[in-house]
Amino acid sequence: MPKFTKFRMSKRDRSVVIGVACGIACALCVGLYVAQVNDQATAAQAEMLSRYGGDQIDVCVAKRDIMAGETILDGDVETKTWIAPLLPANAVTEKKDAVGKQVGSTILAGEVVSNARFGFDASEIEVPSGLVAVSVPTREVQAVGGALSAGMATDVYAAGPASTAKLASGVQVLATSMSTESSTGAASAWVTLAVRPEAVQELVAASENLQIYFALPAAADSTQDGR
């Protein structure tokens, strides 16, 4: 009568087998989850198309947060298909029409790029004689809680990790995006100031490397110097 050798599995072998089984089970679960998500996305897209119509168009979408004052680079935007009725007014349809443009107010990642976000109408700005207009990025919380508006005179400070320096006193505000930004206290924005030509380099360098803060002095104390 033939003899059979009893096979015994070591603890290590059992652990390997259990690990492989768990891995296969996890892979199946992930696959099922991905399929479910894809089905939900397809259903949501079908519902959107049914609700808003089937017209779709290729538009430029921001790949990252593009802050006010920045110039859009080729890698900052991509082309995606969008449902036409959901597009903002003046949506940009080709990358070449967005690349190289300066942003007037912040474009968030995933947002459709609109011509309304580009720069500002220079015809609405009157620059005092002997001064130049320069825009700097800021946040509402750094701009007196978003209270700055055209015509005000403000003091400008540059704050770094170790110190804070006053850059100018009584600088005239020519324009600001505060009225178009959200009132969260943390929204990105821009402020256009009237400064002397020799002060532009210092102000731009400070805005690139430090935090710019604005302070509103009492009306009787403000003296416009554009420095």
Side-chain angles (χ1 to χ4, degrees), residues 6-23:
K6 189 175 182 181
F7 176 75
R8 291 187 178 181
M9 185 181 292
S10 66
K11 290 183 178 180
R12 181 179 178 182
D13 292 336
R14 285 197 297 271
S15 298
V16 171
V17 172
I18 293 173
V20 171
C22 290

Side-chain angles (χ1 to χ4, degrees), residues 1-6:
M1 184 173 182
K3 295 183 179 180
F4 297 94
T5 303
K6 189 175 182 181

Side-chain angles (χ1 to χ4, degrees), residues 160-226:
S163 63
T164 299
K166 189 175 186 179
L167 299 181
S169 301
V171 176
Q172 182 181 347
V173 177
L174 297 178
T176 175
S177 65
M178 296 299 172
S179 61
T180 61
E181 299 294 328
S182 62
S183 301
T184 62
S188 298
W190 53 263
V191 175
T192 301
L193 305 170
V195 301
R196 299 188 183 279
E198 59 270 21
V200 172
Q201 184 174 352
E202 179 184 17
L203 186 58
V204 171
S207 68
E208 288 289 328
N209 301 292
L210 304 170
Q211 296 289 323
I212 300 296
Y213 281 80
F214 299 90
L216 288 178
D221 297 336
S222 61
T223 56
Q224 182 175 335
D225 59 14

Side-chain angles (χ1 to χ4, degrees), residues 40 42 81 131 135 141 182 191 198 227:
Q40 290 175 349
T42 301
T81 302
L131 303 179
S135 296
V141 68
S182 62
V191 175
E198 59 270 21
R227 292 185 301 176

